[in-house]
Amino acid sequence: MKANEAIGAYLKDFRAKHGLTLDAIADAANRYGAKWAASTVSDMEHGGRKVDAIPNLLLLAAVLNDLLSMRGEAADISIYDMIGQQDLSVTPSFDVPADDLAGMVGVQPVRFDIDDGEEFADGISIASHIPISAAEKRAAKKLGMTPKEFHESFLAFSSQTLDEAVAQRVGPNASPQKRGSVTRELLNDMLEHLAYVTYEMNGGA
């Protein structure tokens, strides 16, 4: 199998397994200054966008590890994992055996370190280091809040991002209509929670 095909298949399986949207992965990559959109990630899943180029491969592995870490899961994805631990086609007539790949590409998890004080691009919650997703920006606009206000309010309400909460409720392969319905339910729940907190802070008056 070609490297771009193997990596694209890994990305698609990873996203389905963890209930992540294309936007969630793109937003996590943009935390590092990338300019990915949902269409970028979709193209990568189909082996495009030079997904097997070293810079893209390193960034993608780091992003997937970040998303796992945010969920409290083991963040141990390596380049070797993404290539698929199988014979790799280098040219039409030459394959590198899977047993040799580990020593060539490495099995160490890919992680990027960012200092707590580092300035990120606009739209990133520095306090939590969790990217503000496109879905959260849309929700914030709908509710008349800034993206940062909504992001932090929803985290305080559910201990998850909006994308994670929706994915947890609907499960994998949910239709856009189902995701939209659940998103509206979660927004209503958050607003009720905020109203209750405000009521309590005002002494129940």
Side-chain angles (χ1 to χ4, degrees):
M1 180 180 284
K2 294 180 180 179
N4 63 320
E5 295 171 348
I7 297 162
Y10 179 91
L11 174 58
K12 187 173 184 177
D13 289 344
F14 179 94
R15 195 168 62 79
K17 178 181 178 182
H18 296 279
L20 292 166
T21 64
L22 296 168
D23 278 326
I25 292 176
D27 288 331
N30 293 343
R31 162 191 176 190
Y32 294 108
K35 297 185 182 298
W36 290 7
S39 60
T40 309
V41 182
S42 178
D43 287 347
M44 287 180 168
E45 289 186 351
H46 292 88
R49 297 290 182 131
K50 297 183 178 179
V51 67
D52 55 344
I54 292 298
N56 288 337
L57 188 53
L58 289 172
L59 178 57
L60 183 57
V63 163
L64 299 186
N65 279 324
D66 285 348
L67 292 168
L68 289 175
S69 181
M70 290 172 190
R71 295 178 169 211
E73 300 179 36
D76 55 5
I77 297 172
S78 68
I79 300 299
Y80 183 53
D81 293 323
M82 297 187 65
I83 289 176
Q85 305 178 20
Q86 59 192 316
D87 292 356
L88 186 67
S89 177
V90 179
T91 71
S93 59
F94 183 76
D95 291 350
V96 176
D99 291 343
D100 295 339
L101 276 175
M104 294 179 180
V105 301
V107 296
Q108 291 296 111
V110 179
R111 299 300 302 271
F112 294 160
D113 292 327
I114 292 183
D115 295 334
D116 287 348
E118 184 170 343
E119 293 293 332
F120 296 148
D122 183 48
I124 301 297
S125 172
I126 296 176
S128 64
H129 283 193
I130 300 175
I132 299 174
S133 71
E136 290 180 312
K137 291 176 184 177
R138 290 193 295 269
K141 184 177 181 179
K142 180 178 180 180
L143 298 180
M145 304 170 72
T146 68
K148 184 179 179 182
E149 287 172 343
F150 176 85
H151 179 71
E152 295 180 349
S153 295
F154 198 88
L155 280 173
F157 160 64
S158 69
S159 299
Q160 293 177 300
T161 66
L162 176 62
D163 298 72
E164 290 173 335
V166 170
Q168 186 178 65
R169 284 202 187 184
V170 303
N173 304 318
S175 67
Q177 291 79 10
K178 178 64 175 178
R179 296 185 66 86
S181 175
V182 168
T183 298
R184 289 189 291 272
E185 290 175 5
L186 285 167
L187 295 184
N188 287 334
D189 290 346
M190 187 196 78
L191 290 175
E192 290 179 3
H193 172 75
L194 291 176
Y196 175 76
V197 170
T198 301
Y199 176 80
E200 289 294 311
M201 289 179 63
N202 290 332

